[in-house]
Amino acid sequence: MTASIEKNYSQTMEAFAEACKKAGRSPQEVKLIAVSKFFSAADIQQVYDRGQRFFGENRAQELMEKQPVLPKDIQWHFIGRLQRNKVKYIIDKAAMIHSVDSLELAREISRQALLKNVEMPVLIQVNLGGEETKAGFAAEELREGLAAIAALPGLAVQGLMTIGPYMADPEATRPLFRQMRALKEAAASWTIPGVDMRYLSMGMSHDYAVAIAEGADFVRVGSAIFGNRVYE
Ligand SMILES: *Cc1c(COP(=O)(O)O)cnc(C)c1O
């Protein structure tokens, strides 16, 4: 188990470097988040020992359990659907929340950030495909949503995030990634006070190379590193 995680990690980092090179981007400007949901602190430590510092979790409970027992220089990225009543548990543990999918959630993040006296960097989740099972703002709602969220104290809007549909052929997701890039550029051009359109978070294990070529700044890679998750 352990040996295979280390091997998967080095192979992934090689493929990641290759994808950056092919896209004409420096591996320093694109950040790979190792998505460790469902995997133990011991598994995470293996990857940390290889130099990885960005990890992603999608459940408040897991982040609460893992953050205190792992090295303090890990940057934890919260990437999953976040219930409002869980914000208080992660507000001082996450380095960034990628999945702000409603104004109500943003209000709660703002409230908790003020209570803890922190400023939380957030990305706004976009649901371009209009998939019913996925959260996020539709493209038409984005401008209004950004303006309302950016006006809240205690959070810093730093970009957009999307979860693409799973396509057997990752090339099939390229048009959606391209649309996200265009949307990020449009959003930057709106010059909404408090909005800094720095980051685009998109791409997962099977399609991150395409996402990097289309402008991803964060890719979220789980199973390629840790193996398949066992859902119970
Ligand atoms: C689990 C998850 C990932 C990683 O998915 P893999 O296919 O295992 O790389 C990325 N983003 C989000 C939001 C996730 O929940």
Side-chain angles (χ1 to χ4, degrees), residues 18-209:
E18 188 57 35
C20 292
K21 199 171 144 204
K22 254 179 130 173
R25 306 183 64 195
S26 117
Q28 276 81 51
E29 90 182 56
V30 188
K31 290 171 183 65
L32 182 144
I33 297 172
V35 177
S36 46
K37 66 191 188 203
F38 287 69
F39 288 89
S40 68
D43 289 339
I44 295 171
Q45 184 73 46
Q46 297 294 328
V47 177
Y48 175 91
D49 290 342
R50 289 270 166 135
Q52 180 68 27
R53 291 296 178 271
F54 298 137
F55 289 88
E57 289 287 341
N58 73 337
R59 293 195 301 195
Q61 183 68 29
E62 278 190 72
L63 179 55
M64 280 165 66
E65 287 166 10
K66 293 170 184 174
Q67 188 271 345
V69 300
L70 282 157
K72 293 298 161 247
D73 63 342
I74 288 182
Q75 262 198 35
W76 294 99
H77 290 253
F78 195 88
I79 61 172
R81 194 171 283 190
L82 181 55
Q83 288 170 281
R84 272 176 282 165
N85 61 359
K86 301 280 171 66
V87 173
K88 57 179 174 291
Y89 302 121
I90 64 144
I91 194 75
D92 53 355
K93 297 184 174 61
M96 181 180 279
I97 299 174
H98 288 226
S99 42
V100 175
D101 57 9
S102 70
L103 179 56
E104 292 70 35
L105 174 60
R107 283 202 182 106
E108 180 60 11
I109 294 170
S110 167
R111 203 171 76 85
Q112 295 297 336
L114 292 180
L115 285 173
K116 289 268 164 57
N117 204 20
V118 295
E119 180 169 87
M120 178 59 66
V122 299
L123 306 182
I124 306 307
Q125 187 170 346
V126 175
N127 181 4
L128 264 192
E131 287 176 88
E132 293 226 348
T133 54
K134 282 182 187 149
F137 289 85
E140 317 79 76
E141 307 167 332
L142 185 63
R143 189 172 186 158
E144 204 179 321
L146 278 172
I149 293 170
L152 299 168
L155 50 78
V157 179
Q158 298 189 344
L160 305 178
M161 177 269 215
T162 201
I163 304 176
Y166 181 87
M167 299 287 195
D169 176 7
E171 279 300 324
T173 313
R174 190 182 290 276
L176 181 131
F177 289 151
R178 198 166 283 176
Q179 275 176 276
M180 282 300 297
R181 167 73 170 274
L183 195 56
K184 178 195 176 194
E185 278 161 16
S189 78
W190 300 332
T191 59
I192 300 169
V195 172
D196 180 7
M197 272 294 140
R198 245 191 275 179
Y199 302 120
L200 201 46
S201 169
M202 60 187 190
M204 321 205 316
S205 287
H206 75 293
D207 59 11
Y208 70 83

